[in-house]
């Protein structure tokens, strides 16, 4: 059986993607790091809607923890494999570079970038062996144009964009696609500290996006109709940047 794995899948954009992928009929593995209650709630919502889901707890920046968790999952599912991987986990620690602490740099870079490397490398072999798979990386407008106060976040997401384009070329012949989705301002826990009213004035669409709008694109890229789309970075930002 084919599964989908969504890292950072218990809240925000990750949760919306997990819910949407489950609607397509894929059983979903919801990865999370610390919030047990939110993770259980996400699985409950998927199951209430008629989908299938399970939890897999690990820190995406910890290579050893990832290896142990995925090894255990594969042992428990000998006839199954992850055919859709959504690398969504990420954190913000905004600060001007001159005041930025080592931890603020390290944590923000390690989570999306090392997470992509460790998780994707571990799961890619089965996609290649089965001659089919989808890797979807959630990046950001910040990684495309850069945003002041987010040098760490912009660096991490820009690097992930480069990795997306490179990996797409490595695995295309095995019918594995690799794409990135770059949201602008989306109304989630990660953006709750921002002045939504004022920032919305800068957005041609006049509002923040919804997690479900990002999830719909992820579900399309995960499907058969997107088989000829790879190496692309698709923006969802209400026209804020083109």
């Amino acid at each position: 059986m084919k599964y989908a794995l969504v890292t950072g899948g218990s809240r925000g954009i990750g949760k919306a993607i997990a819910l949407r992928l489950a609607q397509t009929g894929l059983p979903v593995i919801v990865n999370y790091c610390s919030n047990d209650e939110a993770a259980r709630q996400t699985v409950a919502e998927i199951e209430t809607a008629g989908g299938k889901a399970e939890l897999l707890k690990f820190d995406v920046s910890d290579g050893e923890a990832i290896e142990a968790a995925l090894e255990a999952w594969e042992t428990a599912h000998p006839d199954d494999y992850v055919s859709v991987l959504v690398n969504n986990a990420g954190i913000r620690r905004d600060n001007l570079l001159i005041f930025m602490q080592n931890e603020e740099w390290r944590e923000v870079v390690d989570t999306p970038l090392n997470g992509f490397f460790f998780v994707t490398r571990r799961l890619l072999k089965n996609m290649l062996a089965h001659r089919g798979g989808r890797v979807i990386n959630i990046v950001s407008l910040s990684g495309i144009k850069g945003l002041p106060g987010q040098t760490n976040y912009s660096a991490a997401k820009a690097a992930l964009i480069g990795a997306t384009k490179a990996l797409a070329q490595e695995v295309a012949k095995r019918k594995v696609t690799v794409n990135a989705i770059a949201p602008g301002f989306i109304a989630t826990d990660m953006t709750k500290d921002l002045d939504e009213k004022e920032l919305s004035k800068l957005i041609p669409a006049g509002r923040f996006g919804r997690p479900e709008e990002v999830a719909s694109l992820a579900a399309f890229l995960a499907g058969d109709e997107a088989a000829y789309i790879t190496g692309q970075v698709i923006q969802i930002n209400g026209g804020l940047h083109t």
Side-chain angles (χ1 to χ4, degrees), residues 50-143:
K52 296 180 180 180
E54 58 187 84
L55 296 175
L56 195 61
K57 185 177 183 178
F58 59 80
D59 180 348
V60 298
S61 67
D62 185 338
E64 292 183 0
I66 290 167
E67 186 67 25
L70 294 178
E71 179 69 24
W73 186 88
E74 290 179 349
T75 299
H77 297 78
D79 298 322
D80 306 324
Y81 79 104
V82 174
S83 66
V84 176
L85 169 60
V86 182
N87 289 302
N88 167 75
I91 58 173
R92 280 178 49 219
R93 298 285 187 270
D94 294 356
N95 206 346
L96 296 177
L97 182 65
I98 195 170
F99 301 123
M100 189 171 290
Q101 302 301 303
N102 292 350
E103 294 76 15
E104 291 174 327
W105 175 269
R106 187 180 300 111
E107 290 176 3
V108 171
V109 171
D110 281 356
T111 299
L113 195 55
N114 288 351
F116 158 80
F117 173 66
F118 290 132
V119 179
T120 306
R121 182 181 62 175
R122 184 64 176 76
L123 298 177
L124 195 59
K125 62 178 183 179
N126 277 333
M127 294 186 192
L128 298 175
H130 286 87
R131 290 185 172 272
R134 301 283 186 268
V135 178
I136 301 167
N137 299 318
I138 306 302
V139 293
S140 173
L141 172 65
S142 184

Side-chain angles (χ1 to χ4, degrees), residues 160-183:
L160 190 50
I161 287 171
T164 297
K165 295 180 178 182
L167 181 60
Q169 296 174 69
E170 294 179 9
V171 299
K173 288 185 179 180
R174 289 280 179 153
K175 299 182 180 179
V176 176
T177 66
V178 187
N179 292 291
I181 299 174

Side-chain angles (χ1 to χ4, degrees), residues 19 22 40-55:
L19 288 165
R40 287 193 294 266
Q41 178 62 32
T42 298
V43 169
E45 289 184 36
I46 290 172
E47 293 176 342
T48 298
K52 296 180 180 180
E54 58 187 84
L55 296 175

